């Protein structure tokens, strides 16, 4: 089936089965590899993107469910004020280790700050506990979110 | 900096060929890690270095190229997998070469066994927390030689005494500071000068370091916050197909039925490859490949391991561990001392199989052609990968091109080349490049696991409670015997007994032995440390049992046995003090301590836990003190301590791989649980300033944390944890 996908401000024509997860369309069809595959079952958050500003797990989002909605990925999140502030805080506090989970972490955090500009620890826990980091960067992730939010 | 990692894929191609690498002009420095030669550093014009220079007697392990634009390139064999090695090694070089950190670009080296041996671990691997330890001296020496040559070149041009000149940030200044020349302007001339012998080149006194020891920014961070960083799984090539793979759920099994027709009917599926041990569905994209794999509805013939069960593996260990093993250490007469002791303590400890579950699932891209095989992968062991592919393809070594990548978490998993081997076997049936990606389930169920160990310990205490006898028998798999056979001597695996054969304590009568027991149907391997991650849990838990039996405070008891070991004593005391050891805690709360010497570093942790009435354990705080000798970047160390602690803690609280009917029972992050942000404690790090030789860091906290937590649980509940992971059912409050 042919679809038109709006990703990071551009439209893309794609021709795949409707039940194919957005993750693989982004990575393999559109060549945008910043969004990562970690579990395929909505258990790790590595594949998090925004659809109309809401965080979703792209590994469990079929391409035919997106319709006219706007997809934003890690490649463009720096153009939003939350994304830019988070990326800066991430660098200031040296959050990253292997880095593989960090696209998803930043996407979840950006969605959090958009809805909750001054998050509490409990807000951070609930928005971020779907994102796994096997390198164990959580302590710095929490600090960086707070720095970006100015709390 | 970003540029160089980002374009590694492209530059990797050119760096593969020595000829290409040595084209161009400027100054080339080579440096070597081991001492089998006269001079550990050479320097020459880039264009004049011959093949003989790099494969002959000199055989450097890394290169530094300074080109006429002033760019400094460091070519090293280590791969970045989060441990900050690109940053640490750049800092060592920049300090002595006198350049700014951001003037250095890092390239990982092609797999050339002769050139890139890591002196501590023996083959070109990234592991064993060995990188900084191996490079500490040679890299600084190379930088100092380079600086000397560049200063000499400037002095010659100005006709002044080199001693009157100085270098800073890649520029040489004369005595007055009015004349200056950049390294780029001097690179060619410097390459023509005689190389000063290393012994005549003075290294900086550590007190004069301006970069080493500082919180310099990581060089690999910017590309990791906006999706630019390329891992092996991000490989994209013209004409590339993507393959999803199903591996026989039982080791040694074979595909029995495969519905190829159904798989091929899926839009985007191109091919089904059945190699018996695995089936791959090859498609235009992973979405189609996965869908095709499901449609293929594969059934399996289990083969000889279809009956493997965890209980049987444990039973075998119980039996085998009753027999004496190969002696790792024997001092005094432990048997006699035990018989004569005033009090005796015995215990059996067990630790489970563990998966790595790095965030980047296993993957490998292969383009196999008649005369060459290109491999795109993130690997900790490129030379091993290369030689296995030589065997598999019959191609000469030179024809196997490994394009190494950033790794999305290694933890030892990428020291194994099974992923590349499987991908090459599949690629043999495919025309053009193919990227083979394992699902998370495949990754967890076809890992090579940290072995299950069963340990028997006995100790004898004298009337004052001091241990006068200590015996420790370790039974389990030897990773070393398979992986580095030369190090497995006379039945003894030096890794499996590390931190058990030499506990930091004064133990007058000690006997430690190892019984090798290989579990059937299970592949074992390295795992962010193997020996110490298991042994420190056992030794430090048992030491806690002895303190309890002696009715003494666990910290005071240990201090009494560490009088001869000032560095261990210092970290123990520091951790205890910073954690407020001894201050009162509420009911069902407890503190536990653990101390170790492993990977060349001294580390101690205090864990503070709360055990709820339902037995669930909440780790509230971890205080870590580490003396890792002279250190390069305290910020990277703190990050490694935080991450390594959580890696060990995750295993201690949740980690267990079990087998039933030959199959791994866990499959994804809902059954092999990672710690998440809402569960993790704050980890505080206290770094001891030290002028001792640098020790490793990456694996130390993983090893030290589980005993601290287990001992804290004992303090909170009175229940001793002798088996990991912690079983909360055993910790329920009786009231
Ligand atoms: S890959 Fe989508 S949540 Fe893990
Ligand atoms: S930084 Fe490695 S998994 Fe998060």
């Amino acid at each position: 089936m042919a679809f038109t996908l709006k990703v990071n401000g551009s439209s893309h024509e794609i021709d795949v089965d409707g039940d194919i997860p957005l993750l693989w369309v982004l990575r393999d069809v559109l060549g945008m590899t910043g969004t990562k595959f970690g579990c395929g079952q909505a258990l790790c958050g590595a594949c998090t993107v925004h659809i109309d500003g809401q965080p979703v797990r792209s590994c469990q989002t079929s391409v035919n469910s997106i319709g006219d909605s706007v997809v934003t990925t890690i490649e463009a999140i720096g153009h939003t004020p939350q994304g830019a502030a988070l990326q800066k805080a991430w660098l200031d506090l040296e959050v990253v280790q292997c880095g593989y989970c960090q696209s998803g972490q930043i996407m979840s955090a950006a969605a959090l700050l958009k809805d909750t500009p001054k998050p509490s620890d409990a807000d951070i826990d609930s928005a971020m506990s779907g994102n796994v980091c096997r390198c164990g960067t959580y302590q710095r992730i929490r600090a960086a979110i707070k720095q970006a939010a100015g709390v | 900096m970003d540029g160089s990692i980002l374009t590694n894929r492209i530059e990797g191609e050119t760096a593969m060929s020595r000829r290409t690498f040595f084209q161009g002009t400027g100054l080339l420095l080579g440096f070597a890690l081991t001492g089998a030669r006269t001079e550990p550093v050479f320097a020459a014009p880039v264009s004049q270095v011959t093949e003989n220079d790099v494969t002959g007697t000199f055989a450097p392990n890394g290169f530094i190229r300074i080109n006429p634009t002033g760019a400094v390139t460091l070519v090293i064999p280590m791969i970045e997998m989060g441990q900050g090695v690109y940053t640490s090694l750049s800092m060592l070089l920049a300090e002595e070469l006198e350049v700014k950190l951001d003037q250095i670009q890092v390239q990982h080296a092609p797999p050339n066994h002769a050139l890139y041996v890591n002196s501590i671990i023996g083959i070109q691997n990234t592991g064993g927390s060995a990188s900084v330890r191996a490079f500490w001296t040679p890299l600084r020496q190379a930088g100092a030689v380079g600086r000397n040559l560049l200063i000499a070149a400037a002095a010659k041009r100005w006709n002044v005494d080199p001693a009157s000149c100085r270098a800073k940030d890649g520029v040489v200044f004369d005595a007055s500071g009015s004349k200056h020349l950049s390294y780029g302007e001097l690179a060619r001339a410097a390459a023509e000068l005689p190389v000063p012998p290393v012994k005549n080149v003075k290294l900086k006194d550590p007190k004069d370091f301006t970069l080493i020891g500082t919180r310099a920014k990581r060089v690999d961070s910017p590309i990791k916050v906006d999706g630019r960083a390329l891992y092996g799984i991000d490989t994209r090539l013209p004409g590339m197909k993507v393959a999803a793979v199903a591996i026989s759920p039982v080791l040694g099994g074979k595909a029995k039925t495969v519905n190829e027709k159904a798989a091929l009917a899926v839009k985007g599926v191109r091919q089904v490859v059945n190699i018996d041990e695995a089936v791959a569905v090859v498609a235009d994209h992973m979405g189609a490949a996965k869908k095709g794999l499901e449609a293929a509805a594969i059934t399996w013939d289990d083969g000889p391991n279809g009956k493997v069960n965890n209980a049987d593996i444990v039973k075998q260990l119980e039996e085998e561990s009753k027999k004496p093993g190969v002696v790792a250490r024997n001092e005094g007469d432990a048997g006699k001392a035990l018989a004569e002791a005033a009090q005796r303590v015995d215990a059996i400890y067990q630790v489970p199989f563990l998966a790595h579950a790095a965030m980047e699932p296993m993957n490998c891209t292969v383009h196999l052609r008649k005369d060459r095989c290109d491999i795109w992968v993130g690997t900790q062991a490129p030379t091993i990968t290369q030689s296995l592919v030589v065997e598999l393809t019959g191609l000469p070594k030179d024809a196997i091109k490994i394009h190494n990548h950033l790794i999305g978490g290694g933890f030892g998993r990428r020291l194994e080349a099974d992923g590349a081997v499987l991908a090459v076997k599949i690629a043999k049936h495919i025309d053009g490049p193919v990227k083979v990606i394992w699902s998370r389930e495949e990754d967890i169920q076809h890992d090579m696991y940290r072995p299950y160990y069963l340990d028997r310990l006995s100790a004898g205490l004298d009337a004052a409670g001091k241990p006068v006898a200590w015996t420790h028998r370790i039974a389990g798999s030897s990773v070393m015997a398979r992986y580095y056979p030369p190090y497995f001597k006379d039945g003894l695996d030096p890794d499996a007994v590390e931190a058990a054969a030499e506990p930091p304590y004064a133990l007058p009568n000690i006997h430690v032995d190892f019984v090798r027991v290989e579990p059937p149907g299970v592949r074992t391997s390295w795992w962010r440390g193997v020996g110490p991650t298991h042994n420190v849990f056992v030794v430090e838990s048992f030491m806690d049992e002895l303190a309890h039996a002696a009715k003494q405070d666990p910290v005071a008891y240990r201090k009494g046995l560490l009088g001869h070991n000032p560095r261990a004593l210092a970290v123990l005391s520091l951790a205890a003090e910073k954690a407020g050891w001894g201050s009162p805690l509420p009911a069902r709360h407890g503190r536990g301590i653990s101390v170790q010497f492993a990977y060349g570093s001294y580390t101690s942790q205090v864990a503070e836990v709360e055990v709820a009435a339902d037995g669930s354990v909440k780790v509230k705080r971890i205080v870590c003190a580490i003396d890792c000798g002279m250190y390069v970047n305290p910020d990277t160390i703190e990050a490694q301590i935080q991450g390594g602690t959580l890696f060990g803690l995750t295993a201690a609280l949740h980690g267990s791989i079990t087998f039933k009917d030959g199959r791994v029972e866990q499959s994804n992050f809902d059954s092999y649980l990672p710690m998440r942000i809402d569960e993790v404690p704050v980890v505080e790090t206290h770094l001891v300033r030290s002028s001792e030789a640098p020790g490793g860091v990456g694996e130390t906290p993983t090893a030290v944390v589980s005993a601290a937590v287990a001992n804290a649980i004992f303090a909170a509940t009175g229940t001793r944890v002798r088996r990991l992971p912690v079983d909360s059912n055993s910790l329920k409050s009786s009231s």
Side-chain angles (χ1 to χ4, degrees):
Chain A
M1 256 187 87
F3 298 88
T4 305
L5 260 194
K6 289 187 208 145
V7 185
N8 299 338
S10 322
S11 288
H12 301 268
E13 301 295 324
I14 48 157
D15 183 14
V16 297
D17 278 352
D19 59 352
I20 296 299
L22 173 63
L23 172 65
W24 302 115
V25 173
L26 291 171
R27 289 183 51 83
D28 291 353
V29 181
L30 301 180
M32 301 168 68
T33 54
T35 303
K36 297 300 191 224
F37 165 56
C39 71
Q41 302 288 348
L43 296 167
C44 80
C47 65
T48 305
V49 300
H50 294 183
I51 294 185
D52 291 338
Q54 291 305 307
V56 301
R57 310 296 185 220
S58 64
C59 69
Q60 289 287 311
T61 305
S62 60
V63 65
N64 64 8
S65 70
I66 297 166
D68 270 349
S69 296
V70 172
V71 179
T72 308
T73 71
I74 185 68
E75 283 90 350
I77 199 66
H79 302 145
T80 68
Q82 297 83 14
L86 287 162
Q87 285 172 335
K88 180 173 180 303
W90 246 244
L91 294 178
D92 284 351
L93 300 185
E94 294 285 13
V95 172
V96 171
Q97 292 190 28
C98 85
Y100 193 82
C101 73
Q102 300 294 346
S103 296
Q105 304 280 2
I106 290 172
M107 293 307 287
S108 291
L112 165 68
L113 292 194
K114 198 157 147 285
D115 284 349
T116 315
K118 302 281 171 201
S120 64
D121 276 315
D123 294 331
I124 293 174
D125 280 348
S126 73
M128 301 302 295
S129 59
N131 287 81
V132 175
C133 175
R134 284 287 282 158
C135 296
T137 63
Y138 300 121
Q139 193 166 328
R140 292 187 179 192
I141 287 174
R142 184 185 299 280
I145 292 173
K146 288 181 175 178
Q147 173 170 317
V151 295
Chain B
M1 183 65 241
D2 326 356
S4 92
I5 300 177
L6 195 63
T7 55
N8 259 337
R9 238 174 23 193
I10 302 131
E11 291 194 309
E13 306 257 3
T14 50
M16 288 300 142
S17 141
R18 252 193 319 273
R19 251 173 331 216
T20 321
F21 176 70
F22 294 122
Q23 270 169 10
T25 52
L27 172 63
L28 184 82
L29 299 155
F31 59 96
L33 300 174
T34 45
R37 56 192 66 81
T38 47
E39 273 301 305
V41 177
F42 81 38
V46 171
S47 56
Q48 285 172 25
V49 175
T50 65
E51 170 121 1
N52 198 35
D53 285 328
V54 293
T55 54
T57 47
F58 180 67
N61 302 105
F63 296 99
I64 298 145
R65 187 175 42 181
I66 304 168
N67 76 15
T69 68
V72 180
T73 308
L74 171 62
V75 184
I76 47 167
M78 328 308 297
I79 191 75
E80 179 64 59
M81 49 190 178
Q83 78 281 43
V85 67
Y86 281 11
T87 311
S88 311
L89 298 188
S90 296
M91 287 172 77
L92 292 178
L93 173 63
E95 181 75 60
E96 289 290 346
L97 187 59
E98 293 290 1
V99 294
K100 285 195 285 226
L101 195 54
D102 61 11
Q103 278 176 268
I104 300 177
Q105 300 201 334
V106 184
Q107 276 185 4
H108 44 69
N112 184 324
H113 216 303
L115 302 194
Y116 295 107
V117 167
N118 182 320
S119 65
I120 288 186
I121 46 180
I123 21 183
Q124 185 193 316
N125 278 3
T126 310
S129 301
S131 302
V132 167
R133 281 193 275 172
F135 279 81
W136 174 257
T137 302
L139 201 41
R140 287 184 307 135
Q141 282 172 340
V145 166
R147 184 190 67 225
N148 268 266
L149 286 169
L150 290 154
I151 288 178
K156 198 170 161 193
R157 205 169 291 176
W158 295 326
N159 216 352
V160 299
D161 178 5
S164 71
C165 304
R166 67 193 172 85
K168 192 173 168 8
D169 295 345
V171 180
V172 182
F173 297 89
D174 73 349
S176 67
S178 59
K179 286 194 207 150
H180 54 85
L181 287 166
S182 74
Y183 281 8
E185 293 170 289
L186 294 165
R188 271 187 211 144
E192 305 292 341
L193 295 175
V195 183
V198 159
K199 65 173 177 2
N200 294 353
V201 172
K202 221 172 130 285
L203 293 182
K204 279 187 188 172
D205 189 309
K207 74 173 171 13
D208 298 326
F209 287 159
T210 56
L211 194 56
I212 294 174
T214 67
R215 294 175 181 267
K217 285 285 166 198
R218 282 183 73 119
V219 300
D220 57 333
S221 288
I223 56 165
K224 290 178 172 177
V225 299
D226 61 10
R228 278 181 295 152
L230 296 175
Y231 302 83
I233 202 167
D234 300 324
T235 301
R236 291 173 54 77
L237 301 163
M240 184 185 81
K241 299 280 176 257
V242 184
V245 65
I247 307 169
S248 168
V250 179
L251 190 68
K254 283 181 179 175
K256 192 156 63 183
T257 61
V258 181
N259 190 341
E260 287 201 27
K261 219 168 135 210
L264 288 167
V266 172
K267 181 179 170 129
V269 170
R270 301 288 163 178
Q271 198 179 338
V272 176
V273 176
N274 181 350
I275 56 166
D276 288 349
E277 67 185 275
V279 175
V281 173
V282 184
D284 295 341
H285 54 85
M286 186 65 175
K290 285 184 112 170
K291 199 173 161 185
L293 195 61
E294 226 160 274
I298 305 160
T299 62
W300 301 93
D301 195 340
D302 287 353
N305 292 314
K307 295 267 171 296
V308 167
N309 281 312
N310 238 61
D312 296 333
I313 292 172
V314 176
K315 207 157 154 208
Q316 184 190 12
L317 286 169
E318 269 166 7
E319 288 309 314
E320 295 293 321
S321 63
K322 288 177 184 156
K323 304 172 193 158
V326 178
V327 177
R329 175 135 179 245
N330 187 32
E331 255 166 64
D333 188 338
K336 181 161 170 277
L338 195 57
E340 292 169 0
Q343 190 183 351
R344 180 180 167 135
V345 183
D346 301 281
I348 295 175
Y349 280 83
Q350 296 181 56
V351 298
F353 293 112
L354 292 171
H356 300 82
M359 282 309 295
E360 180 190 6
M362 293 287 283
N363 65 87
C364 179
T365 303
V366 178
H367 191 184
L368 180 59
R369 279 167 279 192
K370 247 212 303 295
D371 54 351
R372 65 182 277 168
C373 182
D374 286 81
I375 295 179
W376 293 262
V377 70
T379 174
Q380 293 171 257
T383 53
I384 293 174
T385 306
Q386 192 185 39
S387 44
L388 287 172
V389 176
V390 164
E391 267 174 48
L392 220 55
T393 59
L395 289 168
K397 214 171 195 170
D398 280 358
I400 315 295
K401 314 285 183 191
I402 312 271
H403 309 256
N404 209 348
H405 280 70
L406 296 173
I407 302 181
F411 316 128
R413 181 66 181 95
R414 302 295 187 91
L415 284 165
E416 301 289 353
D418 58 317
V421 166
L422 183 71
V424 171
K425 286 180 181 169
I426 293 167
K428 281 184 170 181
H429 302 269
I430 295 167
D431 208 14
V434 61
K435 172 159 69 179
V436 179
I437 302 177
W438 300 22
S439 66
R440 174 58 60 194
E441 291 79 6
E442 293 296 325
D443 184 277
I444 286 182
Q445 299 190 323
H446 298 90
D447 202 343
M448 300 180 73
Y449 304 97
R450 198 288 303 273
Y452 196 112
Y453 285 105
L454 187 144
D455 293 34
R456 293 178 184 271
L457 295 101
S458 299
L461 308 183
D462 66 13
K466 265 206 183 323
V468 290
W470 176 282
T471 68
H472 183 178
R473 176 167 303 148
I474 298 160
S477 168
S478 168
V479 179
M480 195 68 94
R482 172 184 61 80
Y483 197 93
Y484 294 130
Y487 290 85
F488 181 73
K489 282 204 194 87
D490 306 323
L492 187 65
D493 176 338
D495 174 75
V497 301
E498 186 181 349
E502 312 276 341
Y505 304 103
L507 298 166
N509 300 293
I510 175 169
H511 185 93
V512 179
D513 58 355
F514 173 67
V515 181
R516 183 182 177 195
V517 186
E518 294 300 336
V522 182
R523 306 185 304 168
T524 62
S525 185
W526 309 112
W527 182 93
R528 207 166 186 167
V530 169
T533 57
H534 130 253
N535 288 325
V536 174
F537 164 67
V538 172
V539 167
E540 282 301 289
S541 296
F542 193 58
M543 188 51 77
D544 228 60
E545 295 204 42
L546 301 192
H548 182 71
K551 302 193 171 48
Q552 292 181 32
D553 172 78
V555 170
Y557 188 73
R558 285 174 171 82
K559 281 185 179 173
L561 301 172
L562 289 172
H564 65 294
N565 196 339
R567 293 177 75 190
L569 184 61
V571 292
L572 178 89
S573 305
L574 182 60
E577 176 209 319
K578 297 290 181 188
W581 187 266
S583 64
L585 288 172
R588 304 269 299 171
H589 285 59
R591 288 190 195 92
I593 194 152
S594 168
V595 61
Q596 74 183 15
F597 175 63
Y599 312 105
S601 296
Y602 293 83
T603 315
S604 179
Q605 282 193 349
V606 173
E608 194 181 310
V609 307
E610 176 185 1
V611 184
D614 68 357
S616 60
V617 174
K618 169 99 186 146
V619 180
K620 321 247 329 172
R621 183 184 177 208
I622 300 271
V623 177
C624 181
I626 181 165
D627 171 358
C628 55
M630 276 183 288
Y631 51 78
V632 180
N633 188 331
D635 194 66
T636 309
I637 291 175
E638 277 171 26
Q640 285 290 298
I641 298 283
Q642 290 167 3
T645 297
L646 297 190
F647 202 79
L649 193 55
T650 301
L653 296 179
H654 304 310
S656 179
I657 289 289
T658 52
F659 290 82
K660 189 166 181 244
D661 299 333
R663 290 158 167 80
V664 169
E665 294 186 282
Q666 295 71 27
S667 62
N668 206 319
F669 290 130
D670 51 353
S671 47
Y672 192 72
L673 297 180
M675 282 188 108
R676 294 170 182 271
I677 196 168
D678 54 353
E679 195 193 357
V680 298
V682 168
V683 179
E684 292 171 33
T685 304
H686 301 278
L687 206 47
V688 175
R689 276 226 167 264
S690 166
S691 51
E692 302 282 343
V697 175
E699 292 156 309
T700 56
T702 310
V704 83
V705 66
S706 33
V709 169
N711 294 338
I713 290 171
F714 178 77
T717 63
T719 302
R720 181 61 63 186
V721 177
R722 291 205 183 103
R723 186 193 285 208
L724 293 181
V726 172
D727 173 15
S728 50
N729 281 323
S730 69
L731 302 175
K732 286 190 175 127
S733 157
S734 47
S735 57

